[in-house]
Amino acid sequence: MTDPAPADIALPPVAPEVTARLAHTLSPRLRKRLDAAAAKLAARPRTREGDTVRIALDNDTTLELHAPTGTVAATDAIRCGCLLAPDCVHRAALAAAAPVAEPVPSGDAPEAPAAPAAQPDPAGPAPGDAEPAAPGPDQRAAATALWRAAAAALEAGIEGAGALVQAELLHAAHTARLTGLHRPATLAIATVNGLRAARAADPGHRLAELTATVRELLMVCHALRRPAAPSGASLAALRGTARRPYTPGGSLRLYGLCCEPVLARSGHAGVVTWVLGTDGQLFALTDVAPGGARRAADAVGYTVRLGDASCTHRELARGGLVVSGATVSPDGRLGAGRGVRAVRAEGVPWHAEPVAALWEVPLPDQITRALDDPDPASAAGLVFTDLTVLGPVRETGAPDVLAADCAGLTVRIAPGDEHSGLAHRDNLRLLAAAPGLRLRVIARLVPADHPRLRLLAAVPGAAAGEGPRQPVDLGYDRLCRADLPGAGATPAPPADLREADPAPLHLLHRRVQAALAAGRSAVALPGSTETDRQRLRHAGLSTAAELLTALHRAAADRTRDVFGRLRPADAERFALAWLAAAHYGDRAAHALCAAAWAAPQGAPVA
């Protein structure tokens, strides 16, 4: 009998403090071998027996991870049989190769798990907690340590941010969480997960998403460590909470809308089912746990964990619920506490009230609401609109994009998720080959200098008034040609949409992302940014040009000692310059996005 492949048996997640402690105890000689050892372990055969996963180092030596609660929570839960144990490199390498464990939420109510997102929960303190006046000395010290660890990772770049750099981030994240800085700790763990995905060439890795995570981590830490740190509600938002607070929501009549796959960079996957209350409020029921694309694809068939409801997420999206004793978080997530009762009910089609009211909100108001919300996975980011398919779009690096007319604007429509394990991409290709097709859709806004949406669900033909049709969850349901009424018979050729004079903000984005990908050296070469600076100034983006100049100088300026040797680079200065450029680029991109959607109806925008 052959051993199972490594990919068939997942490693249990390891607590951040365990990984950090094991890496710190290594000798300098073994620290140099840590990354290579972790890479070798990833390819070794694995077996599972109960709560223990074993990895064969050779015919006589094995590594063991013991996780009785599903998480490796102590250093002695990782055991090695080699002669150098416990001071060998194998234990630290295995911890570095395993997923990072998320903290277990505190609280006495068994609420439904929250869906991980690119942004951590920014909610303030739970009801009854006093708002803090200022960060304490321990919190300032923890924020400073986390800033320095993040700055070191930024200076090293993705290729240089190996297991030791990641261990420093995890150690700082653990310390930050102990002092009550839950939001920056969560961002640090997300940064480590993003670095690991990038270094492993994970197809799901997106440099732009990792850049946004590092930007927010540095921004939060910088705000907390400053002498003039914010207080009250602003400080509470920076700190975050240990768990999402839930408050009584009374009785609710809910109508299903759609199911959205969750495939987070943190190693979590599942589904979020969006439902609507009679008062127009959106609620979410989640089923998210450690896993990958397979779990994200299967979760739509899992049973909804809410009271006595005996329906799957797919069935709920097509039907409804009557809930009593509901508990609701500030961001609209429904809790599954012991006092919650729920039974199935009928749903309504998208063209009927109260659901149809979502499509009656003016589109500019929806765009403003989505741009103002810092969480890209929240209900505020959902856009409800009607489209007419124009055909496929030819874009460099984004093959699965279609153009659609939306109230006179030409909008580019991208898949809700690009992972091949979900149905988004195949469905979008079929829709792109059906010019003239009318769609009523639920989408998410994509901040860009042109109107752009990610498509989550649609009702083909609904916008044309062809009567009630079943919604299609584009991440789960597979469309066929018969599902597309009123579509043109001849597929349209790919269009090449080009803005007449686009603002070259991408030049700044490119340099910011290159600095994260390759480290300080990516922007330190003499003259490497001069052409971009000139183009930015010529386009009127003088602030962007100045920030790029400051980033280049922070990366390139090096002093020498009395012997003529280069001193270490100023990581503090480089991190501040990078953060300023990244933050400006993000704010400018949002302003350009708002301007693109505010174009006069019927005006050519592409």
Side-chain angles (χ1 to χ4, degrees):
M1 179 177 179
T2 59
D3 291 323
D8 294 339
I9 299 178
L11 295 175
V14 177
E17 61 272 22
V18 172
T19 304
R21 195 172 300 132
L22 289 173
H24 286 163
T25 58
L26 292 177
S27 66
R29 180 179 64 85
L30 292 180
R31 289 186 179 187
K32 296 178 180 178
R33 298 171 49 191
L34 184 54
D35 288 328
K40 290 181 180 179
L41 287 178
R44 299 301 301 167
R46 304 171 191 170
T47 59
R48 179 184 293 276
E49 183 178 342
D51 299 326
T52 302
V53 174
R54 293 184 175 87
I55 298 180
L57 297 178
D58 53 40
N59 293 334
D60 302 316
T61 310
T62 60
L63 264 171
E64 292 184 354
L65 287 89
H66 186 56
T69 62
T71 298
V72 178
T75 55
D76 57 6
I78 303 179
R79 300 183 288 267
C80 182
C82 76
L83 295 176
L84 297 178
D87 299 323
C88 60
V89 72
H90 303 122
R91 298 170 69 221
L94 185 54
V100 181
E102 296 290 334
V104 178
S106 61
D108 53 1
E111 304 292 359
Q119 309 278 352
D121 182 22
D129 293 348
E131 291 185 348
D138 291 344
Q139 290 185 334
R140 290 185 189 276
T144 299
L146 195 48
W147 164 275
R148 290 173 179 167
L154 174 63
E155 184 177 14
I158 290 173
E159 291 303 318
L164 288 177
V165 173
Q166 295 170 23
E168 290 296 331
L169 267 172
L170 293 176
H171 176 71
H174 176 62
T175 303
R177 198 177 295 280
L178 291 178
T179 64
L181 300 182
H182 303 287
R183 182 181 179 187
T186 301
L187 285 166
I189 292 176
T191 298
V192 171
N193 286 323
L195 291 172
R196 290 181 176 181
R199 290 170 60 85
D202 187 333
H205 164 67
R206 297 292 181 270
L207 182 57
E209 294 180 9
L210 179 57
T211 301
T213 302
V214 175
R215 182 191 71 240
E216 188 180 0
L217 172 60
L218 290 173
M219 183 73 71
V220 171
C221 291
H222 183 57
L224 288 168
R225 71 183 185 136
R226 289 184 303 162
S231 60
S234 297
L235 175 58
L238 290 172
R239 293 170 60 201
T241 55
R243 67 178 178 91
R244 180 178 282 106
Y246 286 80
T247 57
S251 298
L252 299 172
R253 174 64 166 96
L254 304 175
Y255 301 90
L257 292 174
C258 69
C259 292
E260 180 180 6
V262 174
L263 191 55
R265 308 297 175 243
S266 62
H268 291 72
V271 64
V272 175
T273 300
W274 294 101
V275 295
L276 180 72
T278 52
D279 60 352
Q281 182 178 356
L282 290 170
F283 299 94
L285 289 106
T286 67
D287 192 326
V288 178
R294 179 176 298 179
R295 191 181 196 282
D298 295 342
V300 71
Y302 294 170
T303 301
V304 173
R305 295 183 293 177
L306 190 68
D308 302 322
S310 58
C311 63
T312 66
H313 284 268
R314 186 190 300 275
E315 292 170 339
L316 174 57
R318 305 292 184 267
L321 287 176
V322 176
V323 184
S324 62
T327 57
V328 186
S329 72
D331 58 355
R333 300 191 186 277
L334 294 172
R338 289 183 293 272
V340 179
R341 299 290 181 268
V343 295
R344 294 180 63 173
E346 293 293 325
V348 297
W350 285 5
H351 74 283
E353 296 296 340
V355 175
L358 294 170
W359 279 264
E360 297 171 2
V361 178
L363 188 58
D365 294 347
Q366 297 190 53
I367 299 302
T368 301
R369 179 188 66 201
L371 286 173
D372 290 344
D373 194 280
D375 185 354
S378 70
L382 296 175
V383 175
F384 304 86
T385 189
D386 296 325
L387 305 172
T388 301
V389 175
L390 300 178
V393 177
R394 184 182 295 108
E395 278 190 359
T396 303
D400 300 311
V401 178
L402 66 84
D405 177 81
C406 178
L409 291 175
T410 300
V411 181
R412 305 186 199 192
I413 307 297
D417 194 289
E418 296 181 359
H419 199 286
S420 59
L422 300 171
H424 289 290
R425 295 172 62 183
D426 292 339
N427 285 332
L428 203 67
R429 289 171 187 154
L430 188 61
L431 292 174
L437 177 66
R438 305 285 301 278
L439 298 171
R440 171 155 286 193
V441 304
I442 300 177
R444 284 200 176 278
L445 177 69
V446 180
D449 57 4
H450 57 270
R452 193 179 190 92
L453 298 172
R454 288 193 180 275
L455 209 54
L456 303 181
V459 176
E466 298 180 15
R469 291 185 178 274
Q470 198 70 270
V472 177
D473 291 320
L474 297 174
Y476 295 112
D477 303 325
R478 299 279 177 176
L479 287 169
C480 62
R481 187 70 182 178
D483 297 321
L484 309 181
T490 304
D496 191 4
L497 300 182
R498 299 179 185 273
E499 287 74 17
D501 188 17
L505 193 62
H506 66 279
L507 300 175
L508 182 64
H509 289 313
R510 184 179 64 185
R511 292 296 178 180
V512 167
Q513 293 180 10
L516 176 60
R520 181 183 53 79
S521 60
V523 290
L525 296 176
S528 59
T529 59
E530 183 58 34
T531 301
D532 289 349
R533 292 200 296 266
Q534 291 179 359
R535 288 185 61 187
L536 288 170
R537 290 193 183 97
H538 185 266
L541 298 174
S542 57
T543 301
E546 292 173 3
L547 290 171
L548 187 55
T549 299
L551 179 62
H552 173 71
R553 288 176 178 171
D557 288 354
R558 300 282 296 275
T559 59
R560 296 181 181 270
D561 60 19
V562 294
F563 299 105
R565 296 172 299 192
L566 282 173
R567 289 192 174 99
D570 189 344
E572 171 81 8
R573 179 186 174 190
F574 179 66
L576 285 172
W578 185 90
L579 177 59
H583 181 65
Y584 171 87
D586 176 66
R587 293 297 87 196
H590 277 66
L592 289 173
C593 179
W597 283 95
Q601 301 302 302
V605 297

